[in-house]
Amino acid sequence: MSFGNEGYQTTWSEDPGRKPSRGPPLMGGRCESSSSPLSSLRRMAPIIVFSSLLFCLVLYYTFPIGAAAIYAPSAVSETTGLDSVTTEAYRKRLRIRGTQRRLPQALIIGVRKCGTRALIEMLNLHPHIQKNGIEMHFFDDDERYANGLEWYRKRMPYSFDNQVTIEKTPSYFISREAPARIRAMNETIKLLLIVREPAMRVLSDYTQIMEAKMRKGRQVAPFHKKVLTPDGEINDGFKAIQISQYAVHVLRWLREFPREQIHIIDGDNLVADPFTEIDKVQRFLRLPLHIKPDNFYFNETKGFYCMRNETFQKCLADAKGRPHPYVDPAVMSRLRKFFAPFNEQFYEMVGRNFGWPSS
């Protein structure tokens, strides 16, 4: 047994002639100096671990490769489990090196209940497309438009130089002010318009309105009473019928933009053969042809096509493709006859015959 001077502690030594040493006893009965490399390493270990973790986080969120994961089409919501609104909010706040918020280079301007949501989600499969998932109503709302283009730009998602930012607001199509306002922002912007058979579009519109009112416990008039007046004529005061008069609305757009800047998607064919329609869009936007036929697969349970890529697969919400209420075929025939002259005018204006039934 040996006793150290001040600054030393009592230690056991196998060698009586050995001088006591600083520090706690080691195995074998010997002591190690408290200032040894091993002790210093032990004290520094937590700091090293924390610094390494912090470095990895900074590297992930600032190095461009991180953007591939964050901005993979819909991958965030699939992997985090967050709802679409929360996911979109996070995506808008994230700033990846080399990105910035830009005014949209393309707009989906309509038509309501023709597949605008399906269209933007399918286009979002493309790595060169950055969608704004929220309908902004910037160009058809006077109060929002008064905020100015900088306000609008700051609400777009971050994107890289080689990405096309797309915004979707279906009500732009029927707005009297939107065409001129959009042209004032960018006269070379590319416009996407999706249409479907007008009478079925009215029925789909009615179905959505009906379900929304029923959830609130409100009564809903049957379809035939909404589309027909008491004397049996077509109720062209019903907004759903006004929206389906495509020729009336497209005329305003053709006054502001050349036909080659407006690409028209067949909404009925988008349901039946999504790749064919999406391939035309990616060519219209002059993007690399990344979207392929195997990006779509038919879901037997849902009864429509879903989307997938290397990192995720996604189907639209159950509300999309909702079943329609039964309607007397005679009522649908009356609607189709009413729309027939509007359809013929529309075909002539856009240079394409969609072959919609006239009775």
Side-chain angles (χ1 to χ4, degrees):
M1 181 76 69
S2 62
F3 299 90
N5 296 326
E6 184 178 356
Y8 288 80
Q9 63 183 23
T10 305
T11 60
W12 175 264
S13 177
E14 294 177 345
D15 184 359
R18 185 182 180 87
K19 294 181 179 180
S21 60
R22 296 180 182 272
L26 301 175
M27 292 182 65
R30 298 186 179 182
C31 288
E32 179 189 24
S33 170
S34 60
S35 60
S36 69
L38 182 59
S39 297
S40 300
L41 184 60
R42 286 174 176 167
R43 288 196 300 271
M44 292 294 293
I47 298 175
I48 294 172
V49 172
F50 177 79
S51 300
S52 300
L53 179 60
L54 182 62
F55 175 78
C56 290
L57 289 173
V58 171
L59 182 65
Y60 179 80
Y61 285 108
T62 57
F63 196 69
I65 196 170
I70 294 173
Y71 282 110
S74 302
V76 177
S77 59
E78 294 292 325
T79 56
T80 64
L82 298 175
D83 63 87
S84 59
V85 175
T86 305
T87 297
E88 193 67 28
Y90 278 124
R91 287 178 64 172
K92 282 189 173 183
R93 285 198 292 266
L94 286 173
R95 174 70 184 274
I96 311 301
R97 193 179 70 194
T99 66
Q100 60 180 328
R101 299 185 192 274
R102 310 167 199 272
L103 290 170
Q105 299 102 310
L107 288 173
I108 298 175
I109 59 173
V111 177
R112 170 184 162 87
K113 305 313 301 172
C114 287
T116 57
R117 171 56 59 185
L119 176 61
I120 197 169
E121 294 296 340
M122 290 176 180
L123 289 176
N124 203 43
L125 290 166
H126 202 295
H128 290 188
I129 285 180
Q130 189 57 264
K131 71 168 184 175
N132 187 70
I134 300 173
E135 295 179 6
M136 292 301 301
H137 291 278
F138 178 71
F139 297 103
D140 66 337
D141 185 297
D142 292 342
E143 187 174 330
R144 290 196 174 193
Y145 188 69
N147 290 322
L149 286 175
E150 185 63 10
W151 179 91
Y152 181 53
R153 184 190 67 81
K154 288 181 178 178
R155 280 150 183 81
M156 293 298 108
Y158 287 107
S159 63
F160 289 101
D161 290 340
N162 65 345
Q163 289 183 308
V164 174
T165 299
I166 296 182
E167 192 247 308
K168 171 187 84 76
T169 299
S171 56
Y172 289 161
F173 180 62
I174 62 172
S175 167
R176 294 182 180 276
E177 297 78 19
R181 288 173 174 178
I182 292 170
R183 186 177 185 277
M185 176 189 70
N186 181 1
E187 63 181 14
T188 64
I189 194 169
K190 293 183 180 296
L191 304 174
L192 302 176
L193 175 66
I194 181 169
V195 295
R196 65 185 294 198
E197 196 271 299
M200 288 302 296
R201 198 218 65 81
V202 173
L203 180 55
S204 182
D205 205 338
Y206 167 84
T207 302
Q208 180 173 347
I209 296 170
M210 177 190 70
E211 290 189 0
K213 289 185 175 181
M214 290 179 65
R215 283 195 299 269
K216 298 177 181 178
R218 296 165 60 183
Q219 295 293 322
V220 184
F223 182 74
H224 69 278
K225 289 189 175 182
K226 296 294 289 184
V227 301
L228 299 176
T229 62
D231 59 0
E233 298 298 320
I234 296 296
N235 178 17
D236 58 2
F238 184 33
K239 188 174 182 179
I241 290 178
Q242 294 174 352
I243 294 174
S244 283
Q245 297 172 25
Y246 303 146
V248 174
H249 309 294
V250 80
L251 180 61
R252 288 192 289 268
W253 293 91
L254 292 173
R255 286 173 177 164
E256 300 291 341
F257 296 96
R259 174 66 180 86
E260 57 268 21
Q261 276 179 236
I262 306 174
H263 178 73
I264 301 178
I265 299 99
D266 185 335
D268 296 311
N269 196 46
L270 184 69
V271 175
D273 184 11
F275 172 72
T276 299
E277 294 298 325
I278 296 300
D279 186 49
K280 293 175 184 176
V281 176
Q282 64 181 346
R283 293 173 188 273
F284 170 72
L285 296 176
R286 297 183 180 180
L287 296 174
L289 304 182
H290 284 296
I291 300 179
K292 305 294 183 182
D294 58 5
N295 287 124
F296 305 97
Y297 68 97
F298 190 78
N299 186 306
E300 297 287 349
T301 303
K302 292 182 174 290
F304 52 79
Y305 279 90
C306 297
M307 300 153 276
R308 63 186 172 196
N309 62 14
E310 296 82 0
T311 60
F312 82 106
Q313 60 182 29
K314 178 179 182 178
C315 291
L316 296 178
D318 291 337
K320 302 299 180 181
R322 58 170 65 86
H324 296 155
Y326 172 78
V327 176
D328 186 337
V331 174
M332 295 301 291
S333 179
R334 290 286 305 278
L335 273 177
R336 291 184 173 121
K337 288 179 181 178
F338 171 81
F339 285 124
F342 293 100
N343 294 344
E344 292 299 327
Q345 291 176 358
F346 180 67
Y347 300 160
E348 185 176 352
M349 288 177 178
V350 302
R352 180 177 176 184
N353 189 327
F354 287 86
W356 294 321
S358 57
S359 62

